[in-house]
Amino acid sequence: MNKIIYIGMDVHSSNFTLCSFEPGYGMSEDKIFGQVQFKDD
């Protein structure tokens, strides 16, 4: 079975966030594998 995993980026001038997500398509729960946020100190 093939899976689709979505990768997202939210980019701003001072920070950015990365996230990966696998939808469950109503057969199982949606899964968020990880979310990382970077900020400029």
Side-chain angles (χ1 to χ4, degrees):
M1 176 179 174
N2 294 332
K3 293 183 179 183
I4 296 175
I5 297 175
Y6 294 96
I7 307 294
M9 292 180 71
D10 184 17
V11 180
H12 299 275
S13 62
S14 62
N15 63 25
F16 64 95
T17 302
L18 304 172
C19 184
S20 59
F21 173 79
E22 180 186 0
Y25 300 111
M27 293 183 252
S28 63
E29 290 187 21
D30 297 339
K31 298 176 186 173
I32 296 176
F33 290 105
Q35 183 173 354
V36 179
Q37 185 173 25
F38 297 93
K39 293 183 180 180
D40 202 12
D41 286 337

